[in-house]
């Protein structure tokens, strides 16, 4: 029997499973909640804490409180047990990554996993991030790894012809770049928060064939189109660049 399914089936009415507030310093929250005796999951999930820009998101949670329930066993007897269905998840969101940025992120995770056995995950991740990820937002822009919107600066030059490239406009003080906040799930760890509420590792039957779910299936079930998040971020970025080009009376789109 699935412990997760038991938790779901053990609540007879609609209920709030979890809330996900955002915080500015998730490491400080993790430390203070642990000091107060709140049972947290093993670690903060997502990119490591480091001196460079925050991307995607980092998340953690406290384990769901045990709620007593009377349960009927297979032989008909009744026993006292507990459900864990309501827990608190917390997140700190960073910058949305492009396809190239996500590919880099996935490679860094793989390299971190490879090195973690020697130095521990946190230290390995910080080292890998310093080696493989830009340490500044400008570096993300130059390598095309993240999405930004662009706005004209109030103190921009008022004389002369503006350059026709985004990076040149940034360098010469015409523009400022504002990161686009990532608004999706954390890759690879989305289900880990739910599993962390279990009291044990559980079992897995790899001989059973899984059901195929994809975006087309989900769109059909909810009868709604599902947008590609990369396209939405790209549209935000492109719209801001088009506004800048119009405001500066530049022919065509900025390069």
């Amino acid at each position: 029997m699935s412990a997760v399914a038991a938790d779901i089936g053990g609540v007879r009415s609609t209920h709030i499973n979890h809330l996900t507030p955002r915080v500015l310093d998730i490491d400080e929250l993790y430390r203070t909640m642990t000091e107060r005796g709140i049972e947290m999951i093993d670690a903060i999930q997502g990119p490591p804490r480091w001196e460079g820009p925050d991307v995607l998101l980092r998340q953690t949670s406290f384990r769901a409180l045990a709620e007593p329930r009377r349960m009927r066993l297979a032989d008909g007897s009744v026993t006292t047990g507990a459900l864990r269905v309501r827990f608190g998840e917390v997140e700190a969101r960073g910058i949305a990554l492009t396809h190239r940025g996500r590919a880099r992120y996935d490679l860094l995770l793989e390299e971190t996993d490879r090195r973690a056995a020697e130095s521990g995950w946190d230290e390995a991740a910080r080292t890998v991030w310093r080696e493989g990820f830009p340490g500044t937002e400008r570096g993300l822009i130059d390598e095309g790894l993240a999405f930004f919107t662009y706005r004209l600066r109030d103190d921009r030059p008022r004389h002369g012809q503006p350059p026709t490239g985004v990076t040149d406009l940034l360098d010469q003080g015409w523009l400022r770049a504002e990161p686009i906040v990532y608004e999706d799930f954390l890759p690879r760890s989305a289900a880990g928060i739910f599993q962390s509420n279990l009291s044990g590792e559980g079992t897995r039957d790899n001989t059973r064939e899984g059901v195929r779910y994809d975006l087309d299936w989900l769109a059909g079930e909810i009868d709604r189109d599902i947008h590609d998040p990369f396209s939405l971020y790209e549209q935000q970025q492109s719209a801001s660049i088009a506004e800048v080009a119009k405001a500066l009376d530049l022919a065509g789109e900025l390069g």
Side-chain angles (χ1 to χ4, degrees), residues 75-98:
D75 61 3
S77 62
V78 177
T79 185
T80 299
L83 296 179
R84 293 183 178 272
V85 293
R86 286 178 271 264
F87 64 95
E89 185 178 351
V90 187
E91 64 188 18
R93 291 191 171 269
I95 307 172
L97 296 180
T98 62

Side-chain angles (χ1 to χ4, degrees), residues 13 43 72 77 112 119 132 157 167 169 192 202 212 231:
S13 62
R72 189 182 303 277
S77 62
T112 298
S119 59
T167 55
L169 286 167
R212 179 178 176 81
S231 296

Side-chain angles (χ1 to χ4, degrees), residues 26-27 43-59 92 105 108-109 112 120-133 186 188:
I26 198 168
D27 298 275
I44 297 171
Q45 299 175 334
R49 183 182 181 93
W50 72 311
E51 60 277 8
D54 293 323
V55 299
L56 300 183
L57 76 141
R58 304 175 69 217
Q59 66 183 25
Y105 175 84
L108 295 183
L109 282 185
T112 298
W121 199 93
D122 289 339
E123 186 57 37
R126 280 190 288 270
T127 300
V128 169
W129 248 250
R130 289 168 185 149
E131 294 173 355
F133 224 68
L186 178 64
R188 198 172 83 166

Side-chain angles (χ1 to χ4, degrees), residues 95 137 141 147-151 170 176-181:
I95 307 172
E137 291 181 2
I141 294 173
F147 290 108
F148 291 80
T149 54
Y150 298 94
R151 301 285 182 261
L170 288 170
R176 70 176 187 274
E178 300 175 354
I180 296 178
V181 177

Side-chain angles (χ1 to χ4, degrees), residues 15 30-31 36-37 46 56 68 73 76 83 86-87 91 93 100 104 111 124 126 150 159 183 185 226 230 249:
H15 68 285
Y30 190 93
R31 183 186 66 81
R36 295 183 181 186
L56 300 183
L73 302 181
L83 296 179
R86 286 178 271 264
F87 64 95
E91 64 188 18
R93 291 191 171 269
R100 183 184 299 176
R104 178 82 62 87
E111 180 63 16
R126 280 190 288 270
Y150 298 94
H159 303 286
E183 299 288 1
F185 288 105
I226 298 178
F230 292 99
D249 196 23

